[in-house]
RNA sequence: UGCCGAAUGGUGUAAUGGCAGCACAAGCGACUCUGACUCGCUUAGUCUAGGUUCGACCCCUAGUUCGGCAACCA
């Protein structure tokens, strides 16, 4: 599979900038806050940030936007790096921290105060709300707005020195309390937080707000194109105001629409809730759209990157069908997964005319389209398991599998004909009795008769018992957030995880956690993190593309 | 009611004043030792109303609908 590079409005802007010699080397950045796990929405941003840098031979910085110690944690830092690497991107030497710039940012804050562009405000959060006003009405100037520069400088030093409790003061940019853009109504740029920072420890007790910090980070690092999601559009004037007042290099902020996918939720807050309320089993639950969840589920980095390429990048807030993600995953997995046989809902099949003491080692291809995957040996005996749904009483002619008197091929082995069936007292089939044609091992019947169906099987004497986790979409509603009257958790799919005990062919004994397979005719599976050779555990990544079975 | 932004088949996207194309989904068929894969065919679209133009998805005007913004979060 090829990952063709995409072109969209952002690349057009970059190409124009390059052509006009506005810039030499493009520098982007991916700026996660280490307060949660990355999800497929971040994958879109990562693909954009790193992929764009790659495409134009520039570079992409990984920068932790760690300006809020109360929300952040070291564990997320590691997880985020692991996820980005797994997706196939590398920041090389370019690892940065917003917190590394804290001293410099404080200097810039002082500069703003000295220029009369910032002041210390003692209004409580509640009180300031009143002063700020509402969208349709201008705000009022807070009392502290007219403090002298020296007073502001002294107060800011006190804040910085830890003389005041959390919330006592904040530093505000002095812009315009009547601006139609709320973000320009004297936004807070520094707040007091007596908290230990995971990276800077206790060296600071004031922390910059996003709007103040982010543009300075971008500027210091010489970012040429600062790509972010649409909700920051209204922040752009502030981004530009701060850098202009400070007379600093001004990167170009460009906004794009975030990725939304049907039948799931994408916000960190919602994902956190699902984890904390135990609707799922941790951040890497295979039902979650987190990178770690998708990895555990068996999705591939290639598939995720292909999805990002395919959905492109626009300013239209779209809702991508999960089927498209699944198509990308199947596409990659079909090419890259070795095949194996597994029976999820077994019934027995006995070949009456096959010697009871015989075992044949059949050599079966690991991939139908790619010989380089080699072959494996699969033991064949008189008795095997087949899938319950591969037999039907009084089956119509279109049904290609077992029914009384119909000849069916056992994949890679012989053609067998069902002679009679055994059922339990409830009428459920327990055993198929068959006869086989010894002339059909690995070949078509020599007399030219057509055998239409092929069914997978596992020798009962050699089968490995395994736990299989069958995953389905997490929500029953395409957009679980759309109903304003109901919490999104009302739409959780009660059957999103089902377990079953399966019979696996013995070659699967040597699988390692994370190994991916196609269980033929059933779906794509991968060995779970919990998988061991004594407790084999596989996750169903996806079923095969749904075909109408008769 | 203020500000910012967006509208192209069911979905996602291309066409930058010159044939509305591609992919996913759906339907039909072919092939097949996986009812997979692959291949062929089909269905289906420019938010509305005006205007400019030989010609408009594209430019202009007005409207409609949808999304974002009122955290000491990012």
């Amino acid at each position: 599979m090829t990952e063709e590079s995409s072109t969209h409005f952002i690349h057009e802007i970059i190409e124009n900038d390059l052509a006009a010699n506005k810039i030499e080397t493009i520098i982007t950045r991916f700026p996660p806050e280490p307060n949660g796990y990355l999800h497929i929405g971040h994958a879109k941003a990562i693909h954009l940030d790193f992929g764009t840098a790659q495409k134009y031979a520039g570079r992409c910085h990984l920068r932790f936007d760690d300006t809020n110690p109360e929300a952040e944690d070291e564990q997320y830092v590691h997880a985020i790096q692991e996820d980005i690497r797994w997706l196939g991107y590398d920041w090389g030497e370019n690892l940065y921290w917003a917190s590394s710039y804290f001293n410099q940012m404080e200097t810039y804050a002082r500069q703003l105060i000295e220029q009369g562009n910032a002041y210390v405000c003692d209004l409580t959060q509640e009180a300031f709300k009143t002063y700020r006003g509402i969208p349709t009405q201008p705000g009022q100037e807070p009392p502290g707005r007219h403090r002298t520069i020296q007073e502001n400088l002294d107060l800011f030093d006190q804040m910085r020195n830890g003389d005041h409790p959390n919330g006592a003061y904040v530093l505000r940019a002095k812009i315009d309390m009547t601006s139609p853009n709320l973000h320009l109504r004297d936004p807070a740029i520094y707040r007091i937080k007596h908290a230990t920072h995971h990276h800077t420890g206790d060296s600071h007790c004031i922390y910059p707000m996003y709007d103040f910090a982010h543009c300075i980070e971008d500027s210091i690092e010489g970012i040429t194109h600062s790509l972010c999601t649409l909700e920051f559009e209204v922040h752009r004037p502030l981004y530009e105001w701060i850098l202009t007042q400070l007379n600093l290099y001004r990167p170009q902020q460009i906004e794009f629409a975030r990725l939304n996918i049907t039948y799931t939720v994408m916000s960190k807050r919602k994902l956190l809730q699902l984890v904390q309320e135990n609707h799922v089993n941790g951040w890497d639950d295979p039902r979650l759209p987190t990178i770690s969840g998708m990895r555990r589920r068996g999705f591939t980095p290639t598939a995720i990157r292909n999805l990002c390429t395919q959905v492109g990048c626009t300013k239209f807030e779209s809702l991508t069908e999960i089927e498209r993600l699944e198509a990308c995953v199947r596409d990659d997995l079909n090419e890259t997964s070795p095949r194996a046989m597994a029976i999820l809902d077994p019934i027995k099949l006995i070949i009456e005319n096959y010697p009871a003491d015989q075992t044949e080692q059949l050599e079966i291809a690991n991939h139908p389209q790619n010989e380089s995957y080699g072959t494996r040996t699969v033991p064949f005996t008189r008795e095997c398991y087949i899938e319950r749904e591969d037999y039907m009483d009084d089956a119509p002619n279109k049904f290609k599998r077992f029914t009384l008197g119909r000849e069916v091929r056992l994949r890679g082995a012989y053609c067998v004909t069902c002679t009679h069936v055994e059922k339990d007292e409830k009428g459920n089939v327990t055993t198929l009795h068959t006869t086989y044609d010894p002339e059909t091992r690995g070949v078509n019947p020599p007399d030219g008769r057509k055998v239409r169906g092929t069914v997978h099987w596992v020798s009962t004497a050699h089968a490995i018992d395994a736990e299989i986790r069958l995953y389905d979409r997490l929500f029953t509603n395409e957009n679980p957030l759309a109903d304003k009257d109901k919490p999104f958790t009302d739409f959780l799919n009660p059957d999103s995880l089902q377990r079953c005990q399966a019979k696996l062919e013995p070659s699967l004994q040597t699988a390692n956690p994370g190994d991916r397979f196609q269980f033929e005719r059933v779906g794509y599976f991968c060995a779970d993190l919990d998988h061991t050779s004594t407790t084999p555990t596989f996750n169903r990544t996806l079923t095969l593309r749904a075909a109408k079975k008769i």
Side-chain angles (χ1 to χ4, degrees), chain A residues 309-329:
Chain A
T309 301
Q310 286 178 22
V311 299
C313 186
T314 66
K315 291 177 91 94
F316 176 63
E317 185 105 17
S318 58
L319 181 59
T320 296
E321 292 173 333
I322 196 165
E323 287 85 349
R324 182 175 281 267
L325 204 212
E326 294 173 346
C328 289
V329 173

Side-chain angles (χ1 to χ4, degrees), chain A residues 382-517:
Chain A
R382 183 172 190 263
E383 197 178 294
C384 64
Y385 294 111
I386 64 162
E387 213 70 66
R388 178 175 303 280
E389 63 168 31
D390 284 336
Y391 170 84
M392 185 189 272
D393 282 328
D394 307 316
N397 206 30
K398 282 191 155 183
F399 186 78
K400 290 160 55 173
R401 295 106 85 196
F402 286 107
T403 190
L404 230 44
R406 190 161 299 171
E407 187 172 25
V408 173
R409 180 182 301 281
L410 294 176
R411 175 76 161 151
Y414 297 96
C415 295
V416 301
T417 304
C418 180
T419 53
H420 66 283
V421 303
E422 268 180 61
K423 295 181 179 177
D424 63 17
E425 60 285 355
K426 287 186 221 152
N428 296 317
V429 175
T430 56
T431 307
L432 256 50
H433 292 269
T434 64
T435 56
Y436 85 119
D437 178 351
E439 304 294 309
T440 56
R441 174 172 157 172
V443 295
N444 286 321
D447 65 4
R449 68 182 190 276
K450 289 279 180 262
V451 178
R452 287 189 307 150
T454 300
V455 145
H456 56 109
W457 53 274
V458 172
S459 166
T460 54
H462 301 86
I464 303 169
D465 288 300
E467 175 180 315
I468 305 273
R469 298 172 183 169
L470 303 168
Y471 295 104
D472 202 350
R473 43 191 62 155
L474 227 202
F475 292 93
T476 53
N477 191 305
E478 182 172 276
N479 184 357
L481 267 22
D483 192 330
K484 303 288 180 229
D485 300 325
K486 288 182 180 173
F488 73 106
T489 48
D490 277 17
F491 300 105
L492 280 162
N493 175 9
D495 299 322
S496 60
L497 168 58
Q498 295 183 319
R499 297 163 194 273
C500 72
Q501 292 297 317
K503 303 291 186 182
L504 311 185
E505 67 166 69
S507 73
L508 259 3
Q509 185 65 249
T510 56
N512 294 308
D515 285 356
R516 304 183 185 94
F517 301 91

Side-chain angles (χ1 to χ4, degrees), chain A residues 96-344:
Chain A
Y96 300 88
W97 304 83
S99 54
S100 306
Y101 310 134
F102 280 171
N103 289 337
Q104 201 168 350
M105 286 178 190
E106 287 176 9
T107 303
Y108 286 134
R110 280 197 188 84
Q111 182 184 336
L112 243 31
I113 296 172
E114 282 162 5
Q115 292 174 183
N117 294 133
Y119 63 96
V120 173
C121 174
D122 51 30
L123 252 23
T124 63
Q125 195 174 353
E126 273 309 301
F128 182 74
K129 264 189 174 174
T130 315
Y131 280 88
R132 183 176 41 217
I134 55 172
T136 49
Q137 283 166 23
Q140 308 284 320
E141 298 191 344
R145 206 172 201 264
H146 301 292
R147 260 188 254 281
T148 66
I149 288 172
Q150 194 53 53
E151 277 176 312
N152 283 319
L153 247 17
D154 292 345
L155 245 16
F156 185 64
D157 280 339
Q158 290 170 21
M159 286 169 63
R160 200 249 168 272
N161 293 336
D163 297 345
H164 300 289
N166 291 357
Y169 292 101
V170 336
L171 183 68
R172 293 191 182 286
K174 191 194 279 188
I175 309 181
D176 180 4
M177 288 306 292
T178 66
S179 171
N181 181 342
L182 282 298
H183 295 279
L184 261 22
R185 319 245 266 225
D186 290 10
I189 58 177
Y190 257 101
R191 76 285 219 195
I192 300 170
K193 267 185 198 289
H194 291 276
T196 301
H197 188 283
H198 59 95
H199 206 238
T200 60
D202 294 316
S203 59
H204 295 261
C205 66
I206 58 171
Y207 292 93
M209 297 286 292
Y210 167 84
D211 284 308
F212 184 68
H214 204 90
C215 56
I216 291 174
E217 295 157 21
D218 282 351
S219 184
I220 290 171
E221 292 175 20
I223 302 301
T224 57
H225 301 267
S226 180
L227 313 179
C228 61
T229 44
L230 249 28
E231 69 267 27
F232 291 103
E233 222 155 11
V234 281
H235 294 244
R236 187 171 1 110
L238 182 50
Y239 183 106
E240 293 177 345
W241 184 90
I242 290 168
L243 294 179
T244 302
Q245 300 310 314
L246 259 12
N247 197 27
L248 294 175
Y249 161 70
R250 195 143 44 90
Q252 184 177 1
Q253 173 178 307
I254 306 169
E255 308 86 11
F256 61 91
R258 60 170 66 243
L259 178 66
N260 300 296
I261 293 187
T262 55
Y263 298 101
T264 190
V265 291
M266 213 65 94
S267 92
K268 271 190 198 174
R269 240 192 69 230
K270 300 286 190 305
L271 294 173
L272 180 65
Q273 187 183 341
L274 290 173
V275 172
Q276 285 182 338
E277 294 177 3
N278 293 312
H279 297 296
V280 296
N281 306 312
W283 283 100
D284 66 347
D285 188 294
R287 292 166 290 183
L288 253 22
T290 52
I291 305 294
S292 52
M294 293 189 292
R295 176 166 59 228
R296 189 167 184 174
R297 173 84 170 252
F299 288 15
T300 63
T302 302
I304 294 168
R305 280 186 259 119
N306 281 339
L307 176 83
C308 293
T309 301
Q310 286 178 22
V311 299
C313 186
T314 66
K315 291 177 91 94
F316 176 63
E317 185 105 17
S318 58
L319 181 59
T320 296
E321 292 173 333
I322 196 165
E323 287 85 349
R324 182 175 281 267
L325 204 212
E326 294 173 346
C328 289
V329 173
R330 287 195 183 98
D331 198 29
D332 188 32
L333 254 20
N334 176 52
E335 279 192 27
T336 58
S337 308
R339 313 290 134 122
M341 292 193 285
I343 308 295
L344 268 48

